[in-house]
Amino acid sequence: MKRNERKVGAILSYFVIVLNMVIGLIYTPYLTRMLGQAEYGLYSLIGSIISYLTVLDFGLGNAIIIYTTKYKEKKDKDKERKLHGNIFIIYCAISVITVILGAILYSSANKIFANSMGSEEIYKAKIMIIILIFNLAVSFPFSVFSSIITAYEKFVFAKIVNIIRIILNPLVMILLLNFGFRSIALVIVNTVFNLLTLIINTIYCFTKLGIRLNFGRVEKGVVKEISVYSFYIFLNIIIDKINWKVDQFILGTFVGTVVVAIYSIAVQLNDMYMSLATTISTVLLPKVTAMEANNEADKKFSEEFVKIGRIQYLLLGLFITGFVIYGMQFITIMWVGPEYKESFYIGCILMIPFTFSLIQNIGINILQAKNKYKYRTIILLFTAILNLAISIPLAKNYGGIGTAVGTAISIILGDVILLDIYYYKKIHLDIPKFWKEIIKITITIVIVMLLGIGITKIIQITTIPMLIIQILIYTILYITVIWKFAMNSYEKKLILSPILKLKEKM
């Protein structure tokens, strides 16, 4: 039963990722057109600022999942209920802190945005801050129940609720936009849907899972264990916010909402790219934890690192080169319009270096299996702080392009150079071999990309049908050339095996 729940849950997870991408591609141009660049930038900016406060979760959501699972397996209901009750109380305290910080942000809004916004924009910003702070303050304590549902492996229920929300949310927003409502109404809609989801999850936990909260004391040893575990999750959340959210705040403070809108489009594309990459990782990565448990040799880990890295690069290569060739036309002709032209350059600056981080995702799994994850966190925290330090002067002088360069530098330094040194010196992964393989593939990918650029020079893209046809031609060209000159026998077999099995069944 659990195995089926996991399988269906995994399928629904991929469906949610695709659904988010499709809705994002369809809904975003409509939203930007109806709100206008300045208000869309304001809407994105306030959302990203409030999202910084989610770091106050301190990684407790992950801790609930881990320790609920542990107590559930041991059938220790008392400890499980005490865990839930105590974390619920902690979250209530966090909600109070959230409201206090929100009040400070609200009262400081005039000073923070005085140089980049007019009085009307600041007024709207303050209203949205009130609504979103309320949303977040309520979310913290009741997020306990969302984590419990995950721990109980009720993936199907959780994903179905999420899918319904993903579909209904933009539909209601489109309806309101058509009636003339603006960004404040959209924030209210997001809040209402979030509250409904929390209520549904809470009812499900009490009625279907028999969850009860016990506010008695938790053992000191358990508190310490949870604190250590949560601390590194907390640091990773901070790193994520600095690398992918703080740029919008910097731009909103020093440059203006229009630039935030342009940058937000690039970040949205980067998020889609990252979702695609992590989905690939989930499907292809082996159970390295089992390898560590079986005391596999370092050579075996290196082989997996190189093998999976190659596969990810071959797949991501199509998307990143496709974006370099057709991204400008896609953004300006097909998606959000010519006023977002700069989003293409920002997207390239962010996504190209990020590719070389994403193809090493298996390294994260290896670190977790070997209990060496904290070292990665320390490395990335250092580079995230560097990112923050250099992005402010770059934003003042070069706007969105400047902040993107700051983020790209931190990715190359932390996610690629420093982490690879650590992989090589301490985890004993064969990093030189990995990069030899990547360079060989890169030569082929660059040749295909140049052919694609050549086609666009001969047949210029001026309409959406022409863009779609050229993308299809390039996809066929990429697959053909990569198959012939870059893929090895294992990678070809990986693709041919399911096709041959399907033929046999037919």
Side-chain angles (χ1 to χ4, degrees):
M1 190 72 177
K2 279 186 181 179
R3 188 176 292 175
N4 289 335
E5 184 87 21
R6 289 190 197 109
K7 281 182 181 178
V8 177
I11 293 166
L12 289 174
S13 294
Y14 303 139
F15 178 73
V16 166
I17 290 167
V18 173
L19 185 65
N20 268 318
M21 285 184 179
V22 171
I23 288 176
L25 291 172
I26 296 169
Y27 173 61
T28 301
Y30 182 82
L31 183 62
T32 55
R33 189 170 69 252
M34 294 299 284
L35 290 180
Q37 258 190 318
E39 188 150 357
Y40 175 71
L42 179 66
Y43 174 71
S44 301
L45 173 63
I46 300 304
S48 68
I49 290 171
I50 300 302
S51 74
Y52 304 150
L53 295 179
T54 58
V55 303
L56 294 173
D57 175 84
F58 294 110
L60 290 171
N62 287 67
I64 293 169
I65 295 167
I66 295 294
Y67 288 92
T68 298
T69 305
K70 188 187 290 186
Y71 296 144
K72 190 162 64 74
E73 291 299 315
K74 292 178 180 178
K75 302 190 187 318
D76 195 334
K77 279 287 177 187
D78 183 56
K79 283 186 178 179
E80 186 185 328
R81 288 171 178 175
K82 282 181 181 178
L83 172 76
H84 299 158
N86 277 262
I87 291 182
F88 186 85
I89 291 170
I90 293 168
Y91 272 141
C92 287
I94 289 170
S95 292
V96 174
I97 295 167
T98 302
V99 172
I100 293 168
L101 292 173
I104 294 168
L105 178 62
Y106 176 87
S107 61
S108 307
N110 291 75
K111 290 180 181 178
I112 294 170
F113 303 118
N115 297 325
S116 58
M117 293 185 196
S119 57
E120 188 181 344
E121 282 186 317
I122 292 173
Y123 171 76
K124 287 181 180 179
K126 291 171 83 170
I127 298 296
M128 285 192 273
I129 287 168
I130 292 170
I131 298 164
L132 290 172
I133 287 295
F134 167 76
N135 185 0
L136 192 58
V138 174
S139 297
F140 274 127
F142 290 96
S143 65
V144 168
F145 302 104
S146 305
S147 299
I148 291 169
I149 288 168
T150 303
Y152 272 73
E153 299 184 282
K154 299 300 177 184
F155 303 117
V156 176
F157 169 80
K159 296 301 176 187
I160 288 172
V161 170
N162 196 21
I163 288 166
I164 293 169
R165 177 179 172 176
I166 289 167
I167 294 169
L168 288 181
N169 203 1
L171 289 176
V172 174
M173 286 183 166
I174 288 168
L175 187 66
L176 289 174
L177 287 167
N178 279 327
F179 279 105
F181 290 94
R182 311 286 281 181
S183 53
I184 292 172
L186 303 188
V187 171
I188 293 170
V189 170
N190 275 324
T191 300
V192 169
F193 273 104
N194 184 53
L195 294 177
L196 285 172
T197 304
L198 293 171
I199 291 165
I200 290 166
N201 288 342
T202 304
I203 292 169
Y204 183 81
C205 282
F206 281 115
T207 58
K208 297 294 183 183
L209 302 181
I211 298 300
R212 297 292 180 269
L213 303 182
N214 184 332
F215 301 106
R217 280 190 181 180
V218 178
E219 294 171 17
K220 284 185 180 179
V222 174
V223 172
K224 185 179 178 183
E225 197 177 330
I226 290 173
S227 300
V228 172
Y229 174 83
S230 299
F231 177 70
Y232 289 104
I233 301 293
F234 168 63
L235 285 181
N236 274 279
I237 295 168
I238 291 175
I239 291 163
D240 179 64
K241 296 301 177 190
I242 292 173
N243 282 336
W244 302 115
K245 297 292 183 183
V246 81
D247 286 353
Q248 287 151 291
F249 176 70
I250 292 168
L251 291 169
T253 304
F254 295 107
V255 186
T257 53
V258 172
V259 179
V260 174
I262 292 166
Y263 198 86
S264 296
I265 290 297
V267 169
Q268 189 172 341
L269 289 166
N270 187 72
D271 287 346
M272 291 179 188
Y273 186 54
M274 183 166 56
S275 295
L276 173 71
T278 50
T279 303
I280 293 166
S281 303
T282 305
V283 175
L284 295 175
L285 294 182
K287 294 181 180 177
V288 290
T289 306
M291 290 173 62
E292 177 65 15
N294 293 326
N295 296 315
E296 293 283 3
D298 291 336
K299 187 181 177 183
K300 291 286 184 183
F301 283 101
S302 286
E303 286 171 1
E304 290 298 323
F305 187 82
V306 173
K307 183 169 70 178
I308 301 304
R310 277 183 56 93
I311 293 168
Q312 286 184 291
Y313 191 41
L314 290 167
L315 290 163
L316 293 181
L318 171 61
F319 292 93
I320 192 61
T321 56
F323 182 75
V324 170
I325 300 167
Y326 305 107
M328 176 67 81
Q329 292 90 340
F330 170 75
I331 290 169
T332 58
I333 298 172
M334 190 173 179
W335 198 30
V336 286
E339 62 270 30
Y340 289 91
K341 180 181 178 180
E342 196 173 291
S343 299
F344 166 72
Y345 300 110
I346 294 169
C348 286
I349 293 166
L350 292 174
M351 290 161 68
I352 292 171
F354 197 35
T355 302
F356 297 104
S357 168
L358 291 171
I359 61 175
Q360 298 185 62
N361 271 350
I362 188 173
I364 298 171
N365 294 61
I366 293 170
L367 290 177
Q368 288 171 330
K370 292 179 174 288
N371 198 23
K372 303 279 188 179
Y373 192 68
K374 65 180 180 181
Y375 298 104
R376 175 183 181 270
T377 304
I378 293 164
I379 288 168
L380 296 190
L381 181 62
F382 162 72
T383 53
I385 293 167
L386 175 68
N387 178 15
L388 183 61
I390 62 177
S391 288
I392 293 172
L394 286 171
K396 288 179 179 179
N397 292 301
Y398 305 104
I401 297 286
T403 52
V405 169
T407 300
I409 290 169
S410 73
I411 290 169
I412 294 165
L413 181 61
D415 277 334
V416 182
I417 297 172
L418 292 179
L419 208 51
D420 275 2
I421 292 169
Y422 183 74
Y423 285 150
Y424 182 64
K425 296 284 187 182
K426 299 294 182 181
I427 311 299
H428 310 298
L429 297 179
D430 195 344
I431 297 300
K433 184 181 178 183
F434 171 81
W435 282 110
K436 281 177 189 174
E437 295 294 323
I438 295 303
I439 289 166
K440 283 194 288 185
I441 295 172
T442 301
I443 293 166
T444 308
I445 287 176
V446 169
I447 291 168
V448 183
M449 185 176 72
L450 292 173
L451 290 172
I453 292 169
I455 294 169
T456 62
K457 297 297 181 185
I458 297 167
I459 308 168
Q460 294 204 347
I461 299 165
T462 54
T463 63
I464 292 173
M466 286 173 66
L467 174 61
I468 294 169
I469 290 166
Q470 282 219 27
I471 289 172
L472 289 172
I473 291 169
Y474 179 72
T475 302
I476 294 165
L477 175 68
Y478 180 91
I479 292 168
T480 305
V481 175
I482 289 296
W483 180 276
K484 182 74 176 173
F485 299 105
M487 293 178 75
N488 59 35
S489 56
Y490 169 78
E491 291 152 0
K492 290 177 181 178
K493 188 179 176 182
L494 204 63
I495 294 171
L496 291 174
S497 292
I499 297 170
L500 294 171
K501 285 180 183 177
L502 190 64
K503 280 186 177 180
E504 286 174 11
K505 287 181 181 179
M506 293 173 67

